[in-house]
Amino acid sequence: MRNLLLSAALIAVPVASFSMVEMAMSTGAPGASAPQAASLGDMSPYETIVSDTQSLAKKGEFTAAEKRITDLETLWDKNAAKLRKADPSAWGVIDGAADKAFAALRTKSPNAKSVMQSLDGLQTALADPVPSEVGAVQKVAGIAVTDKTGHALPCEAMIGQVRDTLGGKTAPQAVSDLQAKALERCNADDDTRADAFSAQALAMLNN
């Protein structure tokens, strides 16, 4: 989950650098989080942001709502590594729900019903992040691209695996092309396709 550009150091192709803006965690939380969220810690700052976004969306103020939900994205991405390590399944449920909310608000013409449904879903996930099902890890070219809940692995991590596998060596053209595609999709918050490109690059390098 992100709307930030990756660092040029991730891969050996020219890319724009990014800066991460730290958002202060808001106080004045709604009710306490459900027990299932305990492993992730205090979710109230995120719940507050979603509540604010819902209020704006109900009034049809979608531009302001998109700006407010970006505060959640920034805060979530800032804490992503710690949260995912604490409980990968719970993190995946919330991350997926957040992606739907971002997509609903960032369309050219946001649909009020879709926006509210996605925000309601995100609020529910924050309170009770229980995976709907657990299945086999999905793979592309023999490389895992999801966790056991079916949630796509963080695309930054997959791109990092390609970088680490190269070990500073110049990437073959085919691999370099896949790296560029993975980065482009990752910057677009499309982890699924980004991971697929990275997996193909890893498979080439491992052969």
Side-chain angles (χ1 to χ4, degrees):
M1 176 171 65
R2 69 209 57 76
N3 193 28
L4 303 171
L5 294 176
L6 298 175
S7 166
L10 284 176
I11 62 171
V13 296
V15 298
S17 62
F18 74 92
S19 62
M20 181 165 293
V21 180
E22 292 189 5
M23 293 293 180
M25 296 178 73
S26 80
T27 57
S33 299
Q36 292 88 339
S39 60
L40 294 181
D42 183 15
M43 292 288 101
S44 61
Y46 305 96
E47 292 169 345
T48 296
I49 294 173
V50 176
S51 181
D52 292 347
T53 306
Q54 289 172 313
S55 296
L56 292 166
K58 286 178 181 177
K59 294 185 287 186
E61 299 177 9
F62 296 120
T63 299
E66 192 279 330
K67 183 177 180 180
R68 182 57 173 144
I69 202 67
T70 299
D71 292 344
L72 183 145
E73 181 178 40
T74 302
L75 183 61
W76 184 254
D77 285 348
K78 176 184 175 182
N79 296 318
K82 178 180 68 176
L83 293 170
R84 194 169 191 276
K85 182 177 181 180
D87 189 331
S89 296
W91 175 87
V93 171
I94 296 173
D95 193 65
D99 283 343
K100 291 178 181 178
F102 300 149
L105 280 165
R106 290 171 180 165
T107 59
K108 190 173 183 179
S109 299
N111 177 277
K113 183 178 180 180
S114 296
V115 168
M116 293 310 300
Q117 286 179 338
S118 66
L119 290 172
D120 289 345
L122 176 53
Q123 198 70 284
T124 298
L126 286 166
D128 188 16
V130 178
S132 57
E133 59 181 57
V134 176
V137 172
Q138 297 178 32
K139 296 182 179 181
V140 171
I143 306 295
V145 294
T146 72
D147 58 25
K148 63 182 181 181
T149 69
H151 190 272
L153 297 175
C155 55
E156 300 97 335
M158 292 288 293
I159 290 172
Q161 285 186 46
V162 178
R163 175 203 62 202
D164 293 343
T165 301
L166 282 168
K169 297 179 181 178
T170 300
Q173 188 59 51
V175 172
S176 181
D177 289 344
L178 288 168
Q179 286 180 294
K181 291 178 180 178
L183 180 66
E184 188 275 328
R185 287 291 74 204
C186 194
N187 286 337
D189 292 334
D190 185 356
D191 290 77
T192 299
R193 292 181 64 190
D195 288 350
F197 289 130
S198 291
Q200 292 174 58
L202 284 168
M204 288 183 180
L205 292 172
N206 291 335
N207 286 337

